[in-house]
mmCIF file with all atom_site columns, all heavy atoms in Angstrom:
data_model
loop_
_atom_site.group_PDB
_atom_site.id
_atom_site.type_symbol
_atom_site.label_atom_id
_atom_site.label_alt_id
_atom_site.label_comp_id
_atom_site.label_asym_id
_atom_site.label_entity_id
_atom_site.label_seq_id
_atom_site.pdbx_PDB_ins_code
_atom_site.Cartn_x
_atom_site.Cartn_y
_atom_site.Cartn_z
_atom_site.occupancy
_atom_site.B_iso_or_equiv
_atom_site.pdbx_formal_charge
_atom_site.auth_seq_id
_atom_site.auth_comp_id
_atom_site.auth_asym_id
_atom_site.auth_atom_id
_atom_site.pdbx_PDB_model_num
ATOM 1  N N   . ARG A 1 268 ? 70.535 250.194 93.064 1.00 0.00 ? 268 ARG A N   1
ATOM 2  C CA  . ARG A 1 268 ? 69.643 251.359 92.949 1.00 0.00 ? 268 ARG A CA  1
ATOM 3  C C   . ARG A 1 268 ? 68.165 251.023 92.777 1.00 0.00 ? 268 ARG A C   1
ATOM 4  O O   . ARG A 1 268 ? 67.323 251.912 92.737 1.00 0.00 ? 268 ARG A O   1
ATOM 5  C CB  . ARG A 1 268 ? 70.113 252.240 91.780 1.00 0.00 ? 268 ARG A CB  1
ATOM 6  C CG  . ARG A 1 268 ? 71.511 252.846 92.016 1.00 0.00 ? 268 ARG A CG  1
ATOM 7  C CD  . ARG A 1 268 ? 71.763 254.029 91.112 1.00 0.00 ? 268 ARG A CD  1
ATOM 8  N NE  . ARG A 1 268 ? 72.108 253.676 89.762 1.00 0.00 ? 268 ARG A NE  1
ATOM 9  C CZ  . ARG A 1 268 ? 71.363 253.922 88.687 1.00 0.00 ? 268 ARG A CZ  1
ATOM 10 N NH1 . ARG A 1 268 ? 70.221 254.555 88.798 1.00 0.00 ? 268 ARG A NH1 1
ATOM 11 N NH2 . ARG A 1 268 ? 71.773 253.562 87.493 1.00 0.00 ? 268 ARG A NH2 1
ATOM 12 N N   . GLY A 1 269 ? 67.857 249.727 92.661 1.00 0.00 ? 269 GLY A N   1
ATOM 13 C CA  . GLY A 1 269 ? 66.448 249.340 92.480 1.00 0.00 ? 269 GLY A CA  1
ATOM 14 C C   . GLY A 1 269 ? 65.634 249.624 93.740 1.00 0.00 ? 269 GLY A C   1
ATOM 15 O O   . GLY A 1 269 ? 66.174 249.649 94.839 1.00 0.00 ? 269 GLY A O   1
ATOM 16 N N   . GLN A 1 270 ? 64.338 249.836 93.543 1.00 0.00 ? 270 GLN A N   1
ATOM 17 C CA  . GLN A 1 270 ? 63.431 250.104 94.667 1.00 0.00 ? 270 GLN A CA  1
ATOM 18 C C   . GLN A 1 270 ? 63.004 248.798 95.325 1.00 0.00 ? 270 GLN A C   1
ATOM 19 O O   . GLN A 1 270 ? 62.566 247.874 94.622 1.00 0.00 ? 270 GLN A O   1
ATOM 20 C CB  . GLN A 1 270 ? 62.150 250.787 94.148 1.00 0.00 ? 270 GLN A CB  1
ATOM 21 C CG  . GLN A 1 270 ? 62.311 252.244 93.793 1.00 0.00 ? 270 GLN A CG  1
ATOM 22 C CD  . GLN A 1 270 ? 62.594 253.091 95.023 1.00 0.00 ? 270 GLN A CD  1
ATOM 23 O OE1 . GLN A 1 270 ? 61.986 252.898 96.067 1.00 0.00 ? 270 GLN A OE1 1
ATOM 24 N NE2 . GLN A 1 270 ? 63.536 254.015 94.887 1.00 0.00 ? 270 GLN A NE2 1
ATOM 25 N N   . VAL A 1 271 ? 63.087 248.764 96.635 1.00 0.00 ? 271 VAL A N   1
ATOM 26 C CA  . VAL A 1 271 ? 62.631 247.591 97.380 1.00 0.00 ? 271 VAL A CA  1
ATOM 27 C C   . VAL A 1 271 ? 61.156 247.308 97.054 1.00 0.00 ? 271 VAL A C   1
ATOM 28 O O   . VAL A 1 271 ? 60.369 248.244 96.872 1.00 0.00 ? 271 VAL A O   1
ATOM 29 C CB  . VAL A 1 271 ? 62.831 247.847 98.888 1.00 0.00 ? 271 VAL A CB  1
ATOM 30 C CG1 . VAL A 1 271 ? 62.009 246.881 99.727 1.00 0.00 ? 271 VAL A CG1 1
ATOM 31 C CG2 . VAL A 1 271 ? 64.307 247.718 99.230 1.00 0.00 ? 271 VAL A CG2 1
ATOM 32 N N   . ALA A 1 272 ? 60.833 246.024 96.971 1.00 0.00 ? 272 ALA A N   1
ATOM 33 C CA  . ALA A 1 272 ? 59.474 245.513 96.701 1.00 0.00 ? 272 ALA A CA  1
ATOM 34 C C   . ALA A 1 272 ? 59.065 245.674 95.238 1.00 0.00 ? 272 ALA A C   1
ATOM 35 O O   . ALA A 1 272 ? 57.944 245.306 94.871 1.00 0.00 ? 272 ALA A O   1
ATOM 36 C CB  . ALA A 1 272 ? 58.425 246.162 97.599 1.00 0.00 ? 272 ALA A CB  1
ATOM 37 N N   . GLU A 1 273 ? 59.968 246.193 94.414 1.00 0.00 ? 273 GLU A N   1
ATOM 38 C CA  . GLU A 1 273 ? 59.621 246.364 92.996 1.00 0.00 ? 273 GLU A CA  1
ATOM 39 C C   . GLU A 1 273 ? 60.034 245.144 92.180 1.00 0.00 ? 273 GLU A C   1
ATOM 40 O O   . GLU A 1 273 ? 60.880 244.344 92.589 1.00 0.00 ? 273 GLU A O   1
ATOM 41 C CB  . GLU A 1 273 ? 60.333 247.596 92.419 1.00 0.00 ? 273 GLU A CB  1
ATOM 42 C CG  . GLU A 1 273 ? 59.731 248.909 92.844 1.00 0.00 ? 273 GLU A CG  1
ATOM 43 C CD  . GLU A 1 273 ? 58.334 249.147 92.283 1.00 0.00 ? 273 GLU A CD  1
ATOM 44 O OE1 . GLU A 1 273 ? 58.055 248.694 91.162 1.00 0.00 ? 273 GLU A OE1 1
ATOM 45 O OE2 . GLU A 1 273 ? 57.522 249.767 92.982 1.00 0.00 ? 273 GLU A OE2 1
#
Side-chain angles (χ1 to χ4, degrees):
R268 296 199 282 114
Q270 284 293 318
V271 163
E273 285 293 327

